[in-house]
Amino acid sequence: MNYNINHLKELESESIYVLREVAAQFENPVLMFSGGKDSILMVHLAYKAFFPAKVPFPLLHIDTGHNFPETIKFRDDLVEKIGANLIVGSVQEAIDKRTVTEEKGVNASRNGLQTAVLLESLEKGKYDAALGGARRDEEKARAKERFFSHRDEFGQWDPKNQRPELWNIFNGKHQMGEHFRVFPISNWTELDVWQYLAMEKVELPSLYYAHERDVFERDGVLLADCDYIEKKPGETVFRETVRCRTIGDMTCTGVWKSTASTTDDIIEEVATTRMTERGGRTDDKRSETSMEDRKRKGYF
């Protein structure tokens, strides 16, 4: 399959510039890692940006305890492969300590509980910058983010109080207790990501490729059958060939009917679909402003 190599190399160069700016401007940055394709792309770009030295940022994973098992295995294998320092913030530990309260009922999810655990992890590690793989094309709230996105001393985001970014000038100055969220791949699209990963031959979790899985349908979304979701009356489990377009907590991450078994198949599928990749995320459907509300409170 043919790619616009010049376009992908320009995106790569921009992202690597941002990563190097973070290393230069901040004293203690951390790279957020979910095990999804965008965070894997971030690790790959960081590896290229600082080679032959190791990636200079530890990886921080906020673990809900309800992840796809394939995600956790891939995370651990990647960390071992590149010799990274992995830090895990545990939602289960926060529940056990009663710093957060687990939701109950058929629509319960731990996804929203990640915010408190993330803020606690950032405070504990005294990180002044947290690198993430969010992109502007994913969701309207994320489209408002700068490359260097300021957070106050409570970890909260004010979209109306962000600093201008003129040309390639990024201002990382902050007061004690404040930090920045940094988004090096802001200008990438989902299609850009897949084409670059294919061009670079980056390994990905098997979840992204077509496989058979037990699923059930809820509100027009296919969810993977698991012990973490209480089913409603009438919801029946059936076998389907599916794949993930985005990876998160199993309770809110929808899967897609697909026969795309190779990266080129996925690129063709993404190029022709009209549904955004977060169209199957039930956490984004709780309200019209659910993502922005969560981001204001400190969500990534």
Side-chain angles (χ1 to χ4, degrees):
M1 185 171 289
N2 295 323
Y3 313 118
N4 186 336
I5 295 177
N6 289 337
H7 170 67
L8 296 175
K9 286 296 183 181
E10 286 175 2
L11 290 172
E12 177 192 70
S13 178
E14 178 183 63
S15 298
I16 285 177
Y17 176 81
V18 174
L19 287 163
R20 289 172 175 166
E21 278 292 300
V22 170
Q25 291 196 37
F26 296 95
E27 293 183 4
N28 192 24
V30 67
L31 195 157
M32 298 294 299
F33 187 80
S34 67
K37 69 182 186 311
D38 297 318
S39 61
I40 293 168
L41 169 62
M42 288 279 293
V43 171
H44 181 77
L45 291 168
Y47 180 84
K48 295 190 75 170
F50 300 102
F51 184 83
K54 288 186 177 181
V55 174
F57 318 118
L59 307 187
L60 173 60
H61 181 212
I62 304 303
D63 183 0
T64 66
H66 291 173
N67 295 286
F68 288 90
E70 296 94 327
T71 304
I72 301 301
K73 183 180 186 307
F74 186 92
R75 178 200 71 183
D76 294 342
D77 290 346
L78 179 62
V79 165
E80 182 178 359
K81 179 180 178 181
I82 67 172
N85 177 24
L86 175 67
I87 299 153
V88 178
S90 171
V91 171
Q92 183 62 58
E93 287 184 9
I95 293 170
D96 294 341
K97 292 188 299 184
R98 299 185 179 180
T99 56
V100 298
T101 303
E102 186 157 23
E103 295 180 356
K104 304 295 182 183
V106 294
N107 292 314
S109 174
R110 290 185 175 182
N111 195 60
L113 304 184
Q114 293 179 91
T115 299
V117 179
L118 169 61
L119 294 176
E120 181 182 8
S121 298
L122 293 175
E123 175 65 24
K124 183 178 179 180
K126 301 188 184 305
Y127 300 114
D128 54 358
L131 291 145
R135 309 186 322 271
R136 292 190 178 115
D137 76 320
E138 287 182 274
E139 203 275 339
K140 58 186 179 182
R142 286 181 165 168
K144 299 178 183 180
E145 296 274 21
R146 301 287 200 271
F147 279 104
F148 279 27
S149 192
H150 177 264
R151 298 300 196 269
D152 65 19
E153 65 271 25
F154 302 106
Q156 296 177 331
W157 174 61
D158 182 357
K160 295 181 180 179
N161 186 28
Q162 296 297 316
R163 300 170 185 179
E165 293 179 342
L166 306 175
W167 301 284
N168 286 329
I169 300 174
F170 303 121
N171 181 357
K173 292 182 179 180
H174 57 283
Q175 300 296 323
M176 180 69 71
E178 299 176 344
H179 72 277
F180 276 80
R181 307 287 172 86
V182 183
F183 304 103
I185 63 169
S186 287
N187 287 336
W188 297 56
T189 66
E190 183 186 10
L191 188 58
D192 291 330
V193 171
W194 279 109
Q195 290 181 339
Y196 181 84
L197 293 172
M199 183 178 73
E200 294 285 297
K201 296 180 173 57
V202 177
E203 186 178 355
L204 294 166
S206 59
L207 289 166
Y208 280 112
Y209 303 98
H211 59 283
E212 286 194 353
R213 183 178 291 271
D214 289 337
V215 299
F216 65 96
E217 184 173 344
R218 176 175 294 177
D219 300 327
V221 175
L222 289 181
L223 292 170
D225 183 40
C226 64
D227 295 334
Y228 311 132
I229 307 177
E230 179 183 342
K231 295 179 188 63
K232 299 177 182 179
E235 290 181 336
T236 58
V237 175
F238 57 95
R239 196 78 170 169
E240 186 62 83
T241 301
V242 298
R243 74 174 191 89
C244 292
R245 281 181 71 187
T246 178
I247 293 177
D249 190 288
M250 291 187 73
T251 61
C252 61
T253 301
V255 295
W256 303 72
K257 290 183 181 180
S258 175
T259 57
S261 58
T262 68
T263 304
D264 283 346
D265 291 342
I266 292 172
I267 290 170
E268 184 175 350
E269 184 180 88
V270 170
T272 57
T273 186
R274 294 188 176 184
M275 179 73 76
T276 65
E277 63 189 298
R278 293 191 69 91
R281 291 293 293 265
T282 61
D283 51 325
D284 288 350
K285 299 180 180 182
R286 291 197 171 193
S287 76
E288 291 185 359
T289 59
S290 57
M291 174 63 83
E292 183 157 332
D293 291 342
R294 282 179 285 152
K295 288 178 71 64
R296 285 178 183 271
K297 296 176 182 178
Y299 185 78
F300 219 88

